[in-house]
Amino acid sequence: MRVAVYRKEHFNAAHRLHNPNWTDDKNSEIFGKCNNPSFHGHNYELIVKVTGERDPETGYVCDMKIIKDIVREHVVDKFDHKNLNLDVEEFKNLNPTAENIAVVIYDLLRPEIDAKLDLKITLYETERNFVEYPA
Amino acid sequence: MRVAVYRKEHFNAAHRLHNPNWTDDKNSEIFGKCNNPSFHGHNYELIVKVTGERDPETGYVCDMKIIKDIVREHVVDKFDHKNLNLDVEEFKNLNPTAENIAVVIYDLLRPEIDAKLDLKITLYETERNFVEYPA
Amino acid sequence: MRVAVYRKEHFNAAHRLHNPNWTDDKNSEIFGKCNNPSFHGHNYELIVKVTGERDPETGYVCDMKIIKDIVREHVVDKFDHKNLNLDVEEFKNLNPTAENIAVVIYDLLRPEIDAKLDLKITLYETERNFVEYPA
Amino acid sequence: MRVAVYRKEHFNAAHRLHNPNWTDDKNSEIFGKCNNPSFHGHNYELIVKVTGERDPETGYVCDMKIIKDIVREHVVDKFDHKNLNLDVEEFKNLNPTAENIAVVIYDLLRPEIDAKLDLKITLYETERNFVEYPA
Amino acid sequence: MRVAVYRKEHFNAAHRLHNPNWTDDKNSEIFGKCNNPSFHGHNYELIVKVTGERDPETGYVCDMKIIKDIVREHVVDKFDHKNLNLDVEEFKNLNPTAENIAVVIYDLLRPEIDAKLDLKITLYETERNFVEYPA
Amino acid sequence: MRVAVYRKEHFNAAHRLHNPNWTDDKNSEIFGKCNNPSFHGHNYELIVKVTGERDPETGYVCDMKIIKDIVREHVVDKFDHKNLNLDVEEFKNLNPTAENIAVVIYDLLRPEIDAKLDLKITLYETERNFVEYPA
């Protein structure tokens, strides 16, 4: 039977929710205070789950130090202390909702992790609002 | 692939565990100090999980402000600062174990949320005892 | 210089806030939903702080296993899975606000702990509301 | 002896650290990634501590529902989902470090709370960095 | 539909990661500071998940006091305040990675719990590194 | 008025409690399972509190990145993934109780931090047992 291993990291970022195809009134109605044009921000907590067989020589599913380095290089260095809307290429044309951020993180990490291993992302925007992908 | 979104709420309530078809001795033997006739209580933490496709216009699976309002209207206002055994209709003939409370919350919320979206309830009675439905 | 040691315990209890010298309307106006006649409840988290000099032979300010046993005997066994208003002698004529519960716990523990050691109580009613005595 | 009561609230905001009297190089050297011109953000956790005597009629130091309303009106509504540098008058000429935010919150709340009661502010910028005022 | 119930316990233990078939250099290269020959240690948090149907008489999936006693007898008493490599039979020839500890705990608990109930183990080595079995 | 800033770090270590001047029986009687000769371990959480005036140019009491580097160099690198009794000079003749570890950490950090600033150490051995120095 397979084992899942989890690694928790964090990054702090600014963002706003906005659909450029909508009027300001509709953006304000749908996204409320999350639409504030001068941005707000969060301490995002990110949990990366990797599932697979244990290697009989190490007793590891995978070396979590390597997973930690991959997450820092491909996600944390890119998102931490940034404005997601202005500074991060992936959100130039994509609304940075928690759902979309989780999918972007999955797409950034998937090519970096052995295809035999399953990958799942949990992202906490606050301790009361969080998302998981794939569900 | 689908995304899950989670919203955490809380309510504080009194309850006791009791089966009216049993003798006092059997109730005391099975439910122990949870059977105290004058009740005890908990800070319940409730996590509502909703799973579905992202709306391409909003980037949301569903608007969590609407989920929050639904949970407050149908669960929190009904249970918070109440005695579950005495004040809440659903437990007039149902023992308010964490398992049963989670199923009652699911049944209260299921009709209020779009049928295309899956729903799951996690309920913490304490940080050491919690339940999930459906499992 | 002195060192403080802290021990965290917990108990689950029912209570209501009520002043018997007031009308029902005034009780309801002042205590709101905390005045519900059929009670509500909390998971109380209790932190006991003991301050003194380190014993050079043990490196302890005091043996925390002994503090833990004192707290369980004099507080937890008395309050856990109880109705503070109905089951606990100390609240027969005292409103069980978090402030009053903390002072009662201090008064129960103070005679059990060496007079050379200072004592302070922190009591969490919820993770958002808590009190400290003496301040 | 006096009792302290604590109330925890939260707000999410964007900010950047910057001294307009310095060159860009010096700002970057001193404030590092916190100086990012397009901002970053945090989930701020705020703990308000109020210390005084218990009222013998209520058993309260003060009504925490009133403290909660004061904090929401004078702090949370002003800071939540805002850009501290751009949207909040108090930081037009003041660098929004955690230290300065805590002092500003104290100055906003002090006139709203009975002068007989002491006030202290704890502000978490992240769970690893936090400040307290007055110390 | 079935309900899952969770119980959280903890134990504090020393361990080191080491493969006796490898050279010291290879052990050091693969396991890094976790290979320290004089050991290091953790506060392990253990979550036991049991899934099944609710008993209509109790409203329980299973009595969590019984689960708690089983976990304490078969896991906590065996691992708590121990050196996993030196004191625990199961790790005489098995590297005590979090993955392997979770599998050993599952194998210790599985025979003690009714075969109609499903069992899953989550083990936190730190709040940033944790594992789940079966995944 | 002065402001306090706090920085939280962590390290994982093995230890045992033992007084070499006592018999094995007395050690076992006083220190219980903490006296296990093959050690046990903890995830220690360390909070460093620094108190002083705000610098008017930065708005900082002190640069927390510098505090973080000092703590990592003088404490974390020395204690993390180590056996406190065997690997750390300061505990060669000092019992590594939480109280003594906190005092050692204070003595390691005090010379590294500006004498105008006050210093206080909080050390969590577990989330239920922690100490503070100076108290």
Side-chain angles (χ1 to χ4, degrees):
Chain A
M1 278 192 293
R2 287 149 62 91
V3 180
V5 296
Y6 297 79
R7 174 73 195 171
K8 188 174 168 190
E9 296 289 337
H10 57 91
F11 57 90
N12 309 323
H15 80 150
R16 72 179 293 217
L17 301 185
H18 184 73
N19 181 335
N21 301 321
W22 290 350
T23 62
D24 285 358
D25 279 357
K26 180 153 189 197
N27 270 294
S28 177
E29 180 200 333
I30 299 297
F31 295 123
K33 57 189 181 178
C34 299
N35 182 240
N36 176 13
S38 43
F39 311 101
H40 64 285
H42 297 291
N43 302 331
Y44 290 94
E45 296 282 346
L46 167 64
I47 299 175
V48 174
K49 177 187 184 184
V50 176
T51 305
E53 303 286 343
R54 284 171 294 158
D55 176 311
E57 294 225 312
T58 58
Y60 281 162
V61 166
C62 57
D63 186 334
M64 287 310 270
K65 291 187 298 296
I66 294 173
I67 298 293
K68 174 176 142 180
D69 290 343
I70 289 172
V71 174
R72 292 200 175 173
E73 181 184 348
H74 294 273
V75 179
V76 174
D77 288 354
K78 201 167 176 147
F79 290 8
D80 189 33
H81 282 73
K82 296 290 171 56
N83 183 310
L84 299 179
N85 304 65
L86 300 181
D87 298 333
V88 180
E89 186 60 29
E90 283 80 359
F91 299 108
K92 284 282 149 58
N93 298 301
L94 183 68
N95 200 15
T97 58
E99 291 92 325
N100 282 338
I101 302 172
V103 174
V104 164
I105 291 172
Y106 178 90
D107 290 341
L108 288 168
L109 293 178
R110 185 61 277 185
E112 307 301 325
I113 291 170
D114 190 328
K116 285 180 311 193
L117 301 169
D118 287 331
L119 176 65
K120 183 173 290 199
I121 301 302
T122 304
L123 183 72
Y124 284 74
E125 194 171 78
T126 71
E127 63 170 326
R128 291 157 296 280
N129 286 323
F130 50 107
V131 303
E132 191 182 64
Y133 176 80
Chain B
M1 276 192 294
R2 286 149 63 90
V3 180
V5 296
Y6 297 79
R7 174 72 197 173
K8 189 175 168 190
E9 294 290 337
H10 57 89
F11 57 90
N12 308 322
H15 81 150
R16 72 178 295 215
L17 300 185
H18 184 74
N19 181 335
N21 301 321
W22 290 350
T23 63
D24 284 357
D25 279 358
K26 180 151 190 200
N27 270 295
S28 177
E29 180 201 332
I30 299 298
F31 294 122
K33 58 189 180 179
C34 299
N35 183 240
N36 177 12
S38 43
F39 311 100
H40 64 284
H42 297 290
N43 302 331
Y44 290 93
E45 296 280 348
L46 166 63
I47 299 176
V48 174
K49 177 187 185 185
V50 176
T51 305
E53 304 285 343
R54 282 171 295 157
D55 177 312
E57 294 225 313
T58 59
Y60 283 162
V61 166
C62 56
D63 186 335
M64 287 309 271
K65 291 186 297 297
I66 294 173
I67 298 294
K68 174 175 143 181
D69 289 343
I70 290 171
V71 174
R72 293 201 174 171
E73 180 184 348
H74 294 273
V75 178
V76 174
D77 288 353
K78 200 166 176 148
F79 290 8
D80 188 35
H81 282 72
K82 296 290 170 58
N83 183 309
L84 299 179
N85 304 66
L86 301 181
D87 299 333
V88 180
E89 185 61 28
E90 282 79 359
F91 300 108
K92 285 279 150 60
N93 297 301
L94 182 69
N95 201 14
T97 58
E99 291 93 326
N100 282 339
I101 303 170
V103 174
V104 163
I105 291 172
Y106 179 89
D107 291 342
L108 288 168
L109 293 178
R110 184 61 277 184
E112 307 301 325
I113 291 170
D114 189 328
K116 286 179 311 192
L117 300 170
D118 287 332
L119 177 65
K120 182 174 289 200
I121 301 302
T122 303
L123 182 73
Y124 284 74
E125 195 171 79
T126 71
E127 62 170 327
R128 291 156 298 281
N129 286 323
F130 49 107
V131 302
E132 191 181 66
Y133 176 79
Chain C
M1 278 193 291
R2 287 149 62 92
V3 180
V5 296
Y6 297 80
R7 174 74 196 170
K8 189 174 166 191
E9 296 288 339
H10 57 90
F11 57 91
N12 310 322
H15 80 150
R16 73 180 292 217
L17 301 185
H18 184 74
N19 181 334
N21 301 320
W22 291 350
T23 61
D24 285 358
D25 280 358
K26 181 154 187 195
N27 269 294
S28 177
E29 179 200 333
I30 299 297
F31 295 122
K33 58 188 181 179
C34 300
N35 183 240
N36 176 12
S38 43
F39 311 101
H40 64 284
H42 297 290
N43 302 331
Y44 290 93
E45 296 281 346
L46 167 64
I47 299 175
V48 174
K49 177 187 184 184
V50 176
T51 305
E53 304 286 342
R54 283 172 294 159
D55 177 313
E57 294 224 313
T58 58
Y60 283 161
V61 166
C62 57
D63 186 335
M64 286 310 270
K65 290 186 299 296
I66 294 174
I67 298 294
K68 174 176 141 180
D69 290 343
I70 290 172
V71 175
R72 293 201 173 171
E73 180 184 348
H74 294 272
V75 178
V76 174
D77 288 353
K78 201 165 175 147
F79 290 8
D80 188 34
H81 282 74
K82 296 289 170 59
N83 183 310
L84 299 179
N85 304 66
L86 301 182
D87 298 332
V88 180
E89 185 61 28
E90 283 79 359
F91 300 108
K92 284 280 149 59
N93 298 300
L94 183 68
N95 201 14
T97 58
E99 292 92 325
N100 282 339
I101 303 171
V103 174
V104 164
I105 291 173
Y106 179 90
D107 290 342
L108 289 167
L109 293 178
R110 185 61 278 185
E112 307 302 324
I113 291 170
D114 189 328
K116 286 179 312 191
L117 300 170
D118 287 332
L119 176 65
K120 183 173 289 198
I121 302 302
T122 304
L123 182 73
Y124 284 74
E125 196 171 78
T126 71
E127 63 170 325
R128 291 157 297 280
N129 286 324
F130 50 107
V131 303
E132 190 182 66
Y133 176 79
Chain D
M1 280 194 290
R2 285 149 63 91
V3 180
V5 295
Y6 297 79
R7 174 74 198 171
K8 190 174 168 191
E9 294 289 338
H10 57 90
F11 57 90
N12 309 323
H15 81 150
R16 73 179 293 217
L17 301 185
H18 184 73
N19 181 334
N21 301 320
W22 290 351
T23 62
D24 285 358
D25 280 359
K26 181 154 187 195
N27 269 295
S28 176
E29 180 201 332
I30 300 297
F31 295 122
K33 58 188 180 180
C34 299
N35 183 239
N36 177 13
S38 43
F39 311 100
H40 64 284
H42 296 291
N43 302 332
Y44 290 93
E45 296 281 347
L46 167 63
I47 299 176
V48 173
K49 177 188 185 185
V50 176
T51 305
E53 304 286 343
R54 284 171 294 158
D55 177 312
E57 295 225 312
T58 58
Y60 282 162
V61 167
C62 56
D63 186 334
M64 287 310 272
K65 291 186 297 298
I66 294 173
I67 298 294
K68 174 175 141 181
D69 289 344
I70 289 172
V71 174
R72 294 201 173 170
E73 179 183 349
H74 294 273
V75 178
V76 174
D77 288 354
K78 200 166 176 148
F79 289 9
D80 188 34
H81 283 71
K82 296 290 170 59
N83 183 309
L84 299 179
N85 304 65
L86 302 181
D87 298 333
V88 180
E89 184 61 28
E90 283 79 358
F91 300 108
K92 285 280 149 59
N93 298 300
L94 183 69
N95 201 14
T97 59
E99 291 93 325
N100 283 338
I101 302 171
V103 174
V104 164
I105 291 172
Y106 178 90
D107 290 342
L108 288 168
L109 293 178
R110 185 61 277 185
E112 307 301 325
I113 291 170
D114 190 328
K116 286 180 311 193
L117 301 170
D118 287 332
L119 176 65
K120 182 173 290 199
I121 301 302
T122 303
L123 183 72
Y124 284 74
E125 196 172 78
T126 71
E127 64 170 324
R128 293 156 296 281
N129 286 323
F130 50 106
V131 303
E132 189 181 67
Y133 176 79
Chain E
M1 279 191 292
R2 285 150 62 92
V3 180
V5 296
Y6 297 80
R7 175 73 197 172
K8 189 174 167 191
E9 295 288 338
H10 57 91
F11 57 91
N12 309 323
H15 81 150
R16 72 178 294 218
L17 302 185
H18 184 74
N19 182 335
N21 301 322
W22 291 350
T23 63
D24 284 357
D25 279 358
K26 180 153 188 197
N27 269 295
S28 178
E29 181 200 332
I30 299 298
F31 295 122
K33 59 189 180 178
C34 299
N35 183 240
N36 177 12
S38 43
F39 311 100
H40 65 284
H42 297 291
N43 302 331
Y44 290 94
E45 296 281 347
L46 167 64
I47 299 175
V48 174
K49 178 187 182 183
V50 176
T51 306
E53 303 286 343
R54 284 171 294 158
D55 177 313
E57 294 225 313
T58 59
Y60 283 162
V61 166
C62 56
D63 186 335
M64 286 309 271
K65 291 187 299 295
I66 294 174
I67 298 293
K68 174 175 143 181
D69 289 343
I70 290 172
V71 174
R72 293 201 174 171
E73 181 184 347
H74 294 273
V75 179
V76 174
D77 287 354
K78 199 165 178 149
F79 290 7
D80 188 34
H81 282 74
K82 295 291 170 57
N83 183 310
L84 299 179
N85 304 67
L86 301 180
D87 298 333
V88 180
E89 186 60 28
E90 282 80 358
F91 300 107
K92 285 280 149 59
N93 298 300
L94 182 69
N95 202 14
T97 58
E99 290 93 326
N100 283 338
I101 302 171
V103 174
V104 164
I105 290 172
Y106 179 90
D107 290 342
L108 288 167
L109 292 178
R110 184 62 277 185
E112 307 301 324
I113 290 170
D114 190 328
K116 285 179 312 193
L117 301 170
D118 287 331
L119 177 65
K120 182 174 291 200
I121 301 302
T122 303
L123 183 72
Y124 285 74
E125 194 171 79
T126 71
E127 62 169 327
R128 291 155 297 281
N129 286 323
F130 50 106
V131 302
E132 190 182 66
Y133 176 80
Chain F
M1 280 194 290
R2 286 149 62 90
V3 180
V5 296
Y6 297 80
R7 175 74 197 170
K8 189 173 168 190
E9 294 288 338
H10 57 90
F11 57 90
N12 310 322
H15 81 150
R16 73 178 293 218
L17 301 185
H18 183 74
N19 181 335
N21 300 321
W22 290 349
T23 62
D24 284 358
D25 279 358
K26 181 153 189 198
N27 270 295
S28 177
E29 179 199 334
I30 300 297
F31 295 122
K33 58 189 181 178
C34 299
N35 183 240
N36 177 12
S38 43
F39 311 100
H40 64 283
H42 296 290
N43 301 332
Y44 290 93
E45 296 281 347
L46 167 63
I47 299 175
V48 174
K49 177 188 184 182
V50 176
T51 305
E53 303 286 343
R54 284 171 293 158
D55 177 313
E57 294 224 314
T58 58
Y60 282 163
V61 167
C62 56
D63 187 334
M64 287 310 272
K65 290 187 298 295
I66 294 174
I67 298 294
K68 174 177 143 180
D69 289 343
I70 290 172
V71 174
R72 293 201 174 172
E73 180 184 348
H74 294 273
V75 179
V76 174
D77 288 354
K78 201 166 176 149
F79 290 8
D80 188 34
H81 282 73
K82 296 292 171 57
N83 183 310
L84 298 179
N85 304 66
L86 301 180
D87 298 333
V88 180
E89 186 61 28
E90 283 80 357
F91 300 108
K92 284 281 149 58
N93 298 300
L94 183 68
N95 201 13
T97 58
E99 290 92 326
N100 283 338
I101 302 171
V103 174
V104 164
I105 290 172
Y106 179 90
D107 290 343
L108 288 168
L109 293 178
R110 185 62 279 185
E112 307 301 324
I113 290 170
D114 190 328
K116 285 179 313 192
L117 300 170
D118 288 331
L119 177 65
K120 182 172 291 198
I121 301 302
T122 304
L123 183 72
Y124 284 75
E125 196 171 79
T126 70
E127 63 170 326
R128 292 157 295 281
N129 286 323
F130 50 107
V131 303
E132 188 182 66
Y133 176 80

